[in-house]
Amino acid sequence: MRLRFFGISLGYFMVLLDTTILGVALPDLRRDFGSGTAALGWVVNGYTVAFAAALIGGGAVADRFGPGRVFRYGTAAFAAVSGLCAAAPSLEVLVVSRAVLGLAGAVMVPASLAIISRLIPAGPERVRMLGVWAMTAGVSVAAGPLLGGGLVELAGWRATFLVNVPIGLVTWWLVRGVRLPASPVRVRWVPQVGAAVLVACLAEAITGRSVIALGVGVVVLAWLAGSQRTAFSILGEAGLVRWFVVGGAVQFLFAGLLFVGALVLQEARMLTPVETGVAFLPLTVPIMVLPLFTTRVRRAMVIGVPLLVVGAAVLAAAGERASVLPAVGLFVVGVGIAFTFPPLVAAVTSAVPAARAGEAGGMLNASRQVGAALGVASMGSLPPGWAFVLAGAVVLAVVPLVAPRRVRVA
């Protein structure tokens, strides 16, 4: 069981590593392909948008065909496509390959949550294991900038993709024996595809400022709301919508911070890739260490989300100046994320039956990736100070959603 859980966590590590390791490689990519900031944003968002668009369907597929099988196939695809990314001859090919990589990751993440939900009954043990699973995310966040910086200095940006190949092979070997029955819940393919189109249109409308994408997204949203309400009945269960909104807002700040921070540190402050990874340690270390403890804190999100607002305010005040303020802001944001994400995942997975855990996990991660795409696009188009003002305002707006709710007694 421990080896299987390690394999699940390692696969999750690989998927999230791909979102953080690339940040310090962006300047090297710019030099190699001669691209602007907008194009670099699509190298990040090509993965993020595809990941977000397919997560809901990926969760339903994991529930229907068995999370163990889906996780294995997704792992094999992720390792193979990572090799294609490393061999990309142009920026356009890299963006497309990153999008395919996002599709592979989109079936792995909800499948991993579904495996944990089915193997471990609801209760303190599951909460503890989810804390370990969340800590894996923290390790990937911490390792990404440092590992990416070392690989870029050693062999260039292509090495940041090649590292996924051995990780994927080890993951596949560790989970090869996971056999879980398929769920009788039928996949409603039409609304799943509709939801994917909606997410993609939303991201394109913001990142590409496309009126056409916005119009198509509005039409698809109206159709889903009018004719496919029962297909997404899970949204109304146990108040899940508010958790999805919180997840998206927090990821808006986090993804935008990694994108803007890497460019500022390397191009404004002239740090090397390795030095950039070290500069991110005040952010990444709390995310790596604290989840094992924050899962035991009652109402941890009530602490975490306001801390994120404070951290964004400190970073906004720091701007591009070389002082102690950026490190303080990064540390506060890191602590805030550690107090927010583990209990957020636990709240969502414990609110639905085990047979629908993959779908719920897919929706949570889809909301987070939509927030990430919007954060990169929005914050990347602003000066650093104003970018963090915007991010702080977005997170501030969801503070009421994590406040304790009073139960009315009739």
Side-chain angles (χ1 to χ4, degrees):
M1 176 61 188
R2 289 184 178 180
L3 281 178
R4 292 178 179 179
F5 182 78
F6 177 73
I8 295 166
S9 299
L10 185 61
Y12 185 49
F13 169 87
M14 177 177 66
V15 172
L16 293 188
L17 181 70
D18 211 62
T19 66
T20 58
I21 196 173
L22 191 60
V24 295
L26 292 176
D28 190 52
L29 267 169
R30 190 201 296 272
R31 288 188 293 269
D32 201 354
F33 292 128
S35 54
T37 301
L40 285 179
W42 269 114
V43 174
V44 176
N45 277 343
Y47 178 88
T48 303
V49 171
F51 191 35
L55 270 167
I56 300 175
V61 168
D63 288 336
R64 176 63 184 88
F65 296 103
R69 177 192 303 173
V70 171
F71 187 83
R72 289 194 301 275
Y73 288 164
T75 299
F78 200 96
V81 178
S82 292
L84 294 178
C85 289
S90 67
L91 192 68
E92 293 76 14
V93 173
L94 178 59
V95 169
V96 172
S97 300
R98 285 274 292 167
V100 178
L101 200 63
L103 297 178
V107 299
M108 291 179 63
V109 173
S112 67
L113 269 177
I115 292 171
I116 295 172
S117 297
R118 292 201 192 184
L119 291 180
I120 306 171
E125 179 63 14
R126 182 190 291 182
V127 172
R128 188 180 71 83
M129 296 303 281
L130 285 172
V132 176
W133 185 79
M135 188 182 70
T136 302
V139 173
S140 70
V141 170
L146 281 173
L147 180 60
L151 289 173
V152 169
E153 290 198 4
L154 181 66
W157 64 266
R158 297 180 190 275
T160 62
F161 293 106
L162 287 175
V163 72
N164 290 333
V165 177
I167 296 176
L169 292 175
V170 173
T171 298
W172 186 89
W173 186 82
L174 290 173
V175 301
R176 71 193 188 285
V178 176
R179 298 285 189 272
L180 291 171
S183 167
V185 177
R186 183 171 58 90
V187 178
R188 298 176 175 89
W189 291 107
V190 173
Q192 298 292 347
V193 173
V197 172
L198 173 61
V199 172
C201 287
L202 176 61
E204 172 61 16
I206 300 297
T207 58
R209 295 177 174 86
S210 171
V211 177
I212 295 176
L214 179 61
V216 173
V218 170
V219 171
V220 173
L221 177 61
W223 171 72
L224 288 173
S227 63
Q228 303 294 329
R229 193 174 303 168
T230 57
F232 297 105
S233 60
I234 193 173
L235 287 171
E237 296 178 17
L240 290 184
V241 173
R242 64 171 175 148
W243 301 133
F244 298 156
V245 173
V246 170
V250 174
Q251 200 70 14
F252 181 102
L253 166 62
F254 181 57
L257 166 58
L258 290 177
F259 182 78
V260 172
L263 293 178
V264 168
L265 289 172
Q266 292 190 59
E267 297 186 346
R269 295 178 57 184
M270 305 301 293
L271 298 186
T272 67
V274 171
E275 290 171 338
T276 299
V278 173
F280 273 124
L281 285 177
L283 169 72
T284 58
V285 169
I287 300 175
M288 177 177 65
V289 174
L290 293 181
L292 281 176
F293 306 99
T294 56
T295 53
R296 304 173 186 175
V297 178
R298 189 168 179 263
R299 294 174 177 171
M301 281 186 282
V302 178
I303 301 171
V305 175
L307 280 176
L308 293 172
V309 178
V310 174
V314 174
L315 290 170
E320 297 184 27
R321 294 195 303 271
S323 66
V324 72
L325 278 181
V328 173
L330 289 173
F331 178 76
V332 174
V333 170
V335 174
I337 290 175
F339 271 85
T340 301
F341 275 148
L344 183 64
V345 173
V348 170
T349 56
S350 62
V352 297
R356 301 191 73 179
E359 186 179 357
M363 288 183 175
L364 171 61
N365 282 287
S367 68
R368 289 175 56 184
Q369 295 309 313
V370 169
L374 300 183
V376 169
S378 303
M379 294 176 65
S381 64
L382 295 172
W386 287 107
F388 291 113
V389 169
L390 173 62
V394 169
V395 179
L396 180 62
V398 304
V399 169
L401 298 181
V402 301
R405 295 188 173 185
R406 295 180 180 179
V407 179
R408 295 182 179 180
V409 179

